């Protein structure tokens, strides 16, 4: 009896603690969204949906360091017991890969009716909206010291390997995010041999103190804005943050000449997950995200995303799609080749 | 000590701290091991070990003199410098990197090593300071009579060096597992990839946990090899507390060296604590943008800071561009004169104060839930870890299997954070749990409890090690006496041991709490741990931080340091990491 009493003095707090730990599970959400879109941009949109509908939204944001692919990896791991209802991806290649693996549920959202067909999956597994474009961010002060005539400043991806621009240029290490997608598209357009040569040149140039390989598009924007680097490749949303911060920067869409490849335009994509636990609420969220209102909000936000619909109002610094020479991309093929290209890039850049 | 209580805690520890590591090993496939033969892998590993050794040596060079000076000599302000020097250990290394890279052109491998030295030198200085305090006064008196201060220093160095080396081993361990600082610092200039980068990439970007684990094995072996000397030194008494017969040494007068020594100590604290915190404050006030020439001239003219322009300026056929209004072509804005700075100062400083308040408002508004979640998870983790640490730390010091227990405690510390996170996620997201609970627990992985378990498993070894060290200073005879009058093991532990090691218990709670607040690598794998303040800061930094991120960083640092500051302010017993 005494032994029991003695042990209960320890067992009671232990059991109480375990109960407390288990109780830490929190309330069940009405809809769960995983998003690879930057938290600073996506959170406000999702909060607006929550406010409008009264539904509690569980938001899972990806981290900058493993943009998109970390989230996609998690969706695959959870496929046996999905927790996510809606996947809001900030790019398209990985969404297509998920669709090909049968992890997405078709949904033809009424909100998507006027979105151009280019950005809609014919089988309705995903829908694209609010685009970003790859662009050059140029520090006008730094470049002005090198070349007075702005028309001679970098204007092509090939300037990353041309003197003198390679010494002051930069691109994010293409292991994640839109830079990975960009390089995957280059492999697709140029073929493996030419793409490998280009990548090899970049790595060799970096080792010799040339092209900088930043940890992401955000740090690249900041480094260019502050003048540590003179120019580099980033996304339009990152550029816009630099512009708003008052950095002496200029945006330039690359390869816009007649016979040039154009710039890469990447839509956000949204999809309903197969066996989503809250499928109906998930559809409501997708309808909201694909609305003109959200495209306008994203265009007016710091991320300055480019609406897919021409009639969506936008500020002057957000271009019309018609103003750009966009790359022609076979996304299905890019998605299929992605794992191979990723491995290639890891071998080259992680050494 | 009660066997069943120790067994219970050992089982809990094994489940939370060791099982995740074991589970990860099971994910390795034979093809994964083939990767280890790639020359690229070994080149990365060699570079990482080189970095770790450089950091360890750097920590010794900074930490040994600093620890000795603040613990034993008459440098000015030693009382304040000593606790302040611990700050960088508690501040996320990424914040250290982002502030110093903003302040200087530090880039590349040397800068990476330097920044990690600034972050981890307190490990060496802590060990050094305690070792220096344990030197017997009679030994010093003999040395002094033979050769003055120089002879004392020579004699003391021999006595404190083993402890300092133990600190350097820990610094090595932390340095080789850090990938955020090398990545961030080498964003400009030659890229400096490290081995932890490869592990993280294999897991997150290539979806191959088995490969990630296989790649981690060499690093794990190296880290354990680096930690083993700490236990060896401990067994040999190098880290032992003073004996009752020892006489506490007197403060050493530095004479003419007092001012240079003080300057050195202040410089170390300034570089590692004050400058990063000051820079974050400056950024939170919008300092870099507020003092741009164009903004200052606008302030003098009584105008708002110039709005960013949106006017397109075609510069090449077919291209669309947008430039800022202040840039007419490529002309750099003329630098400010002294008079302009003086004239604008009141307005600009006023604007900075407004920005500062706004940044903190935004930080609280956006990150309130994340900060609250971080605090809650860290408090739970620290409290549980303390309970485990008290029982297992005591057992490690008193039982026959103490060394085995301490060796086991080193494993979660030695394992790269990402790997530990993968193991925890695999363990608690496993089908076994679902079948055990009839499917009810499939979401356990996504709950806050899961994040708590992750932190407890990962960080409870610190509590065990700190308590074990402290129990060594409690005379066994007092426990025997309690037992002889009928006190049970639990009573002895709570009534005899606990009061005697209150400082160490406080230190272990504070230590686990602080490390949980700043835990990033393993947290990235677990959903609820990703919704914490440190992850929000991490994302903000990568996105190209602004005032709000700097303000949030300061909030985070403040919450990390708060328990330590409260304990120091209100408790008569100092928190002691070392006996």
């Amino acid at each position: 009896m005494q032994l029991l009493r003695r042990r209960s003095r320890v067992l009671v707090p232990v059991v109480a603690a375990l109960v407390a730990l288990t109780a830490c599970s929190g309330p069940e959400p009405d809809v769960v969204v995983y998003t690879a879109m930057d938290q600073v941009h996506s959170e406000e949109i999702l909060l607006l949906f929550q406010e409008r509908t009264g539904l509690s939204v569980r938001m899972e944001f990806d981290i900058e360091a493993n943009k998109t692919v970390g989230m996609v990896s998690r969706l695959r791991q959870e496929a046996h017991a999905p927790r996510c209802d809606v996947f809001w991806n900030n790019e398209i290649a990985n969404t297509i890969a998920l669709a090909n693996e049968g992890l997405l549920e078709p949904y033809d959202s009424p909100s998507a009716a006027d979105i151009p067909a280019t950005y809609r999956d014919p089988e309705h597994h995903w829908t694209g909206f609010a685009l970003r474009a790859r662009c050059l961010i140029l520090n006008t002060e730094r470049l002005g010291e090198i070349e007075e005539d702005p028309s001679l400043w970098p204007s092509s991806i090939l300037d990353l390997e041309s003197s003198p621009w390679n010494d002051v240029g930069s691109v994010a290490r293409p292991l994640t995010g839109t830079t990975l997608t960009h390089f995957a598209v280059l492999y697709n357009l140029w073929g493996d041999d030419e793409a490998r040569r280009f990548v090899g040149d970049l790595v060799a140039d970096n080792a010799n103190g040339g092209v900088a390989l930043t940890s992401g598009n955000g740090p690249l924007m900041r480094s260019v804005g502050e003048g540590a680097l003179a120019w580099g490749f980033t996304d339009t949303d990152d550029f816009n943050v630099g512009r708003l911060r008052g950095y002496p920067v200029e945006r330039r869409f690359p390869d816009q000449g007649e016979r040039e490849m154009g710039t890469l335009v990447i839509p956000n994509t949204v999809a309903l997950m197969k066996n989503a636990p809250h499928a109906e609420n998930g559809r409501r969220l997708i309808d909201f995200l694909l609305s003109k209102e959200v495209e306008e909000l994203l265009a007016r936000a710091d991320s300055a995303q480019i609406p897919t619909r021409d009639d969506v109002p936008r500020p002057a610094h957000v271009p019309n799609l018609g103003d750009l020479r966009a790359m022609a991309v076979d996304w299905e093929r890019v998605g299929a080749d992605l794992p191979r290209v990723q491995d290639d890039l890891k071998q080259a850049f992680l050494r | 000590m009660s066997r069943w209580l120790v067994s219970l805690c050992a089982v809990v520890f094994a489940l939370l701290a060791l099982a995740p590591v074991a589970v990860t090993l099971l994910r390795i496939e034979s093809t994964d091991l083939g990767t280890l033969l790639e020359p690229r892998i070994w080149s990365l590993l060699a570079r990482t070990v080189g970095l770790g050794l450089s950091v360890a040596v750097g920590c010794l060079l900074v930490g040994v003199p600093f620890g000795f000076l603040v613990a034993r000599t008459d440098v000015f302000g030693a009382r304040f410098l000593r606790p302040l020097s611990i700050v960088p250990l508690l501040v996320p290394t990424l914040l250290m990197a982002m502030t110093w890279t903003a302040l200087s052109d530090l880039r590349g491998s040397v800068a990476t090593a330097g920044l990690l030295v600034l972050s981890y030198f307190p490990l060496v200085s802590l060990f050094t300071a305690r070792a220096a305090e344990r030197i017997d006064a009679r030994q010093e008196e003999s040395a002094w009579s033979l050769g003055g201060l120089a002879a004392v220093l020579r004699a003391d160095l021999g006595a404190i060096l083993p402890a300092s080396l133990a600190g350097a081993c820990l610094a090595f361990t932390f340095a080789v597992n850090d990938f955020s600082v090398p990545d961030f610092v080498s964003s400009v200039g030659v890229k400096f990839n490290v081995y932890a980068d490869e592990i993280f990439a294999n897991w997150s970007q290539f979806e191959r946990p088995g490969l990630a684990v296989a790649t981690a094995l060499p690093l794990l072996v190296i880290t354990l090899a680096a930690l083993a000397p700490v236990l060896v030194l401990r067994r040999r008494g190098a880290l032992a507390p003073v004996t009752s017969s020892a006489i506490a040494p007197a403060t050493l007068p530095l004479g003419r060296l007092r001012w240079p020594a003080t300057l050195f100590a202040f410089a170390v604290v300034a570089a590692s604590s004050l400058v990063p915190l000051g820079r974050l404050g400056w950024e939170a006030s919008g300092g870099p943008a507020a003092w741009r020439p164009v903004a200052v001239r606008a302030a003098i003219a009584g105008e708002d800071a110039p709005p960013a322009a949106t006017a397109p300026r075609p510069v090449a056929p077919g291209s669309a561009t947008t430039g800022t209004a202040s840039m007419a072509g490529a002309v750099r804005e003329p630098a400010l004169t002294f008079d302009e700075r003086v004239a604008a100062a009141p307005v600009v400083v006023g604007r900075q104060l407004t920005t500062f308040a706004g940044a903190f408002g935004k930080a609280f508004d956006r990150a309130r839930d994340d900060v609250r979640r971080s605090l809650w998870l860290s408090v739970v983790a620290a409290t549980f870890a303390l309970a485990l640490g008290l029982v297992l730390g005591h057992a490690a010091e008193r039982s026959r299997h103490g060394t085995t227990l301490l060796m086991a405690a080193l494993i979660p510390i030695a394992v790269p954070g990402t790997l530990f996170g993968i193991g925890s996620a695999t363990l608690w997201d496993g089908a076994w749990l679902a079948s055990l609970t009839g499917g009810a627990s499939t979401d356990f992985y996504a709950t806050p409890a899961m994040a708590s378990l992750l932190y407890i498993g990962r960080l409870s070894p610190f509590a065990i090690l700190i308590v074990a060290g402290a129990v060594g200073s409690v005379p066994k005879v007092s426990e025997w006496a309690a037992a002889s009058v009928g006190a049970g093991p639990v009573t002895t532990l709570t009534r005899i041991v606990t009061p005697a090691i209150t400082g160490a218990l406080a230190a272990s709670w504070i230590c686990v709490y602080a490390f949980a607040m700043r835990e990033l690598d393993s947290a990235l794998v677990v959903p609820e741990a990703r919704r914490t303040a440190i992850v929000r800061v991490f994302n903000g930094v990568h996105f190209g931080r602004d005032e709000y991120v700097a303000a949030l960083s300061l909030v985070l640092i403040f919450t990390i340091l708060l328990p330590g500051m409260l304990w120091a302010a209100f408790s008569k017993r100092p928190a002691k990491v070392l006996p």
Side-chain angles (χ1 to χ4, degrees):
Chain A
M1 195 62 191
Q2 195 184 0
L3 183 71
L4 189 68
R5 213 171 27 241
R6 232 185 244 170
R7 290 187 179 182
S8 71
R9 285 164 58 186
V10 177
L11 275 176
V12 168
V14 168
V15 171
L18 288 174
V19 169
L21 252 185
T22 318
C24 289
S25 52
E28 172 77 5
D30 295 317
V31 60
V32 180
V33 56
Y34 287 7
T35 178
M37 170 82 158
D38 291 312
Q39 183 172 5
V40 287
H41 300 321
S42 56
E43 193 171 28
E44 286 175 17
I45 301 283
L46 294 169
L47 286 173
L48 181 66
F49 172 77
Q50 189 168 258
E51 190 186 309
R52 291 257 180 91
T53 59
L55 296 174
S56 102
V57 182
R58 184 186 173 96
M59 307 163 201
E60 299 266 343
F61 303 99
D62 209 345
I63 53 160
E64 178 68 25
N66 65 2
K67 223 40 162 172
T68 311
V69 281
M71 205 53 107
V72 170
S73 159
R74 201 173 140 199
L75 288 170
R76 286 189 178 118
Q77 283 173 14
E78 293 176 357
H80 66 284
R83 298 186 176 91
C84 169
D85 300 302
V86 174
F87 180 40
W88 173 1
N89 193 0
N90 66 346
E91 55 90 54
I92 185 170
N94 280 293
T95 310
I96 290 175
L98 288 178
N100 290 340
E101 292 165 33
L103 298 181
L104 304 182
E105 181 76 27
Y107 175 53
D108 186 10
S109 168
S111 299
D114 54 350
I115 289 178
T118 322
Y119 302 112
R120 282 183 288 147
D121 177 28
E123 293 172 13
H124 309 297
H125 286 107
W126 53 266
T127 311
F129 66 111
L131 309 141
R132 287 177 297 165
R134 294 287 287 167
C135 67
L136 303 185
I137 179 170
L138 311 176
N139 184 306
T140 51
E141 291 181 353
R142 283 288 311 272
L143 288 171
E145 289 165 1
I146 300 169
E147 170 58 59
E148 285 185 9
D149 182 359
S151 68
L152 299 177
W153 290 350
S155 61
S156 165
I157 187 149
L158 297 176
D159 285 323
L160 282 173
E161 52 179 4
S162 71
S163 182
W165 307 124
N166 57 338
D167 286 339
V168 289
S170 52
V171 66
R173 203 168 49 168
L175 297 178
T176 54
T178 48
T179 317
L180 168 64
T181 309
H182 192 175
F183 275 64
V185 170
L186 292 179
Y187 268 72
N188 188 247
L189 289 178
W190 289 343
D192 285 5
D193 290 344
E194 178 58 17
R196 282 186 186 132
R197 186 204 57 75
F198 179 72
V199 162
D201 283 355
L202 285 186
V203 173
D205 205 16
N206 173 261
N208 292 323
V211 174
L213 300 170
T214 65
S215 52
N217 291 317
L220 185 147
M221 173 272 290
R222 189 180 168 91
S223 296
V224 172
E226 290 173 347
L229 297 165
W231 70 284
F233 265 85
T234 190
D235 299 335
T236 43
D237 56 342
D238 292 299
F239 167 81
N240 196 53
V241 173
R243 182 185 71 83
L244 291 173
R245 235 175 252 180
Y247 288 141
V249 289
E250 184 170 297
R251 183 188 69 200
R252 187 171 292 192
F253 292 111
D255 301 301
Q256 295 292 297
E258 264 313 300
R259 290 170 183 272
E260 292 178 333
M261 70 171 84
T263 193
L264 181 64
V265 176
I266 304 169
N268 281 273
T269 46
V270 64
L272 185 70
M273 297 306 298
K274 192 153 212 148
N275 302 321
H278 316 94
E280 200 44 51
N281 291 336
R283 289 188 185 95
R284 286 178 71 181
L285 177 55
I286 290 175
D287 293 344
F288 174 73
L289 291 176
L290 294 176
S291 66
K292 281 185 181 176
E293 182 193 4
V294 167
E295 279 212 312
E296 184 179 347
L297 284 171
L298 288 169
R300 293 193 184 284
D302 289 357
S303 58
Q305 310 250 352
I306 306 165
T308 52
R309 304 151 167 119
D310 288 337
D311 58 344
V312 171
R314 72 200 69 193
H317 60 268
V318 177
N320 282 309
L321 270 177
D323 297 337
L324 301 178
R325 181 182 180 82
M327 274 184 189
V329 180
D330 179 352
W331 287 113
E332 287 286 347
R333 208 178 130 197
V334 169
D337 287 348
L338 198 57
R340 185 177 52 79
V341 173
Q342 253 182 311
D343 200 47
D344 224 38
L345 293 172
K346 185 181 85 163
Q347 298 288 334
F349 285 96
L350 211 54
R351 58 173 60 239
Chain B
M1 171 57 82
S2 160
R3 260 189 209 171
W4 74 268
L5 181 59
V6 173
S7 304
L8 175 70
C9 288
V11 167
V12 173
F13 179 74
L15 196 62
L16 301 186
L18 303 179
V21 182
V23 163
T24 56
L25 296 176
L26 296 176
R27 300 192 72 160
I28 300 176
E29 293 168 18
S30 55
T31 50
D32 297 329
L33 291 170
T35 311
L36 296 178
L37 301 174
E38 287 180 24
R40 182 181 67 85
I41 293 290
W42 290 100
S43 147
L44 270 177
L45 188 62
R47 186 181 308 140
T48 305
V49 171
L51 173 70
L53 290 173
S54 311
V55 172
V57 170
C59 287
L60 281 171
L61 292 176
V62 176
V64 171
F66 181 87
F68 187 82
L69 286 173
V70 295
R72 293 296 318 285
T73 68
D74 59 350
V75 290
F76 295 107
R79 202 177 143 202
F80 302 102
L81 290 170
R82 192 169 171 182
L84 263 178
S85 70
I86 300 170
V87 170
L89 199 57
L90 305 179
V91 172
T93 51
L94 187 65
L95 296 184
M96 186 77 81
M98 86 185 201
T99 51
W100 269 108
T101 49
L103 278 170
S104 65
D105 289 333
L106 289 172
R107 296 289 185 269
S109 54
V110 176
T112 302
L115 286 168
L116 290 173
V117 167
L118 285 182
S119 292
Y120 296 129
F121 87 89
L123 288 166
V124 174
S125 65
L126 268 173
F127 277 73
T128 303
R130 285 302 291 151
E133 285 172 336
R134 290 194 296 256
I135 292 167
D136 195 317
R138 288 166 295 196
Q139 176 190 325
E140 279 194 353
E141 281 163 17
S142 307
W144 189 273
S145 63
L146 288 172
L149 182 61
V152 169
L153 292 179
R154 271 199 304 276
D156 284 356
L157 189 62
I160 62 176
L161 207 52
S164 308
L165 284 171
C169 289
L170 285 172
F172 173 90
T173 304
F174 282 104
V176 294
N177 283 296
D178 194 313
F179 66 89
S180 58
V181 172
D183 186 30
F184 192 84
V185 175
S186 64
S187 269
V188 176
V190 179
K191 197 72 194 166
F192 185 71
N193 298 311
V194 291
Y195 199 77
D197 229 347
E198 173 80 15
I199 300 169
F200 186 65
N202 283 336
W203 168 73
S204 71
Q205 289 148 34
F206 298 92
E207 301 180 47
R208 294 178 63 185
L211 182 60
V213 178
T215 348
L217 288 177
L219 194 60
L220 178 61
V221 170
I222 288 170
T223 312
L224 279 173
L227 286 174
V230 182
L231 288 188
V232 173
L233 287 167
R234 188 176 181 279
R235 276 180 71 86
R236 290 186 180 172
L239 312 178
V242 284
T243 59
S244 55
S245 62
I247 300 173
T251 301
L252 291 169
L254 290 172
R256 281 181 307 166
L257 294 174
R258 192 180 188 193
W259 271 108
T262 302
L263 280 177
F264 165 77
F266 267 96
V268 169
V269 169
S272 60
S273 304
L274 304 182
V275 169
L277 294 181
R279 173 70 197 190
L280 284 174
W282 175 250
E283 289 194 10
S285 72
W291 285 96
R292 277 186 304 122
V294 67
V296 169
R297 292 195 176 104
I300 294 171
E303 297 167 359
D304 286 336
T310 56
R313 181 163 66 86
V315 295
S319 78
T321 66
T322 306
T324 52
S326 58
M327 291 294 97
V331 182
R332 187 186 282 274
E333 180 79 11
L336 293 171
T337 63
F338 179 74
D339 290 343
E340 281 178 315
R341 285 178 191 276
V342 172
V347 183
V348 174
V349 170
R351 286 178 178 176
Q352 279 188 270
L353 289 174
T354 310
T355 308
F356 193 74
F360 275 90
K362 197 172 167 185
F364 283 118
D365 188 42
R366 285 192 181 181
R368 187 182 292 115
D369 287 346
D370 294 344
V371 172
R372 195 183 295 143
R373 190 174 292 109
S374 288
L375 279 169
W376 175 237
L377 291 174
S378 303
V379 166
V380 169
T383 309
F384 271 76
L386 181 65
L388 279 179
L390 179 59
V391 175
L392 296 181
H394 182 270
E397 182 59 32
R398 295 287 193 246
S399 81
R400 278 181 300 144
H401 305 294
T403 306
T404 311
L405 190 54
L406 289 177
M407 281 298 287
L410 291 182
I411 292 173
I413 300 177
V415 170
T418 310
L419 196 66
F420 192 86
I422 294 170
S424 287
T426 308
L427 183 66
W428 299 107
D429 196 26
W432 69 272
L433 195 60
S435 60
L436 197 71
T437 58
S441 67
T442 48
D443 255 349
F444 181 75
Y445 160 69
T447 63
M450 170 68 219
S452 298
L453 295 186
L454 171 83
Y455 290 148
I456 296 167
R458 173 94 172 133
L459 303 172
S460 57
F462 289 103
I464 294 171
L465 292 169
I466 292 171
V467 172
V471 169
S473 65
V474 179
K476 284 181 189 170
V477 67
S478 52
E479 291 180 50
W480 294 337
S484 68
V485 295
V490 177
T491 307
T492 307
L493 189 66
T494 52
R495 300 264 180 91
I496 306 295
V497 179
T498 303
I501 59 167
T502 311
L505 293 176
S508 57
W509 193 95
I510 291 167
C511 189
V512 173
Y513 164 85
F515 285 159
M517 285 291 291
R518 52 163 281 183
E519 178 66 20
L520 188 60
D521 295 355
S522 65
L524 296 180
V525 183
V526 173
E528 200 64 16
R530 290 209 307 206
R531 300 167 72 200
T532 50
I534 181 67
V535 175
R536 189 178 274 270
V537 168
F538 181 72
N539 279 339
V541 169
H542 270 271
F543 189 69
R545 67 190 187 275
D546 56 11
E547 296 87 19
Y548 136 76
V549 179
L552 180 58
S553 303
L554 285 172
V555 170
L556 178 64
I557 291 169
F558 177 73
T559 50
I560 289 174
L561 300 178
L562 186 63
M565 291 192 295
L566 287 175
W567 182 270
F570 295 109
S571 172
K572 289 176 184 168
R573 296 187 181 194
K576 284 184 176 175
V577 175
L578 294 168

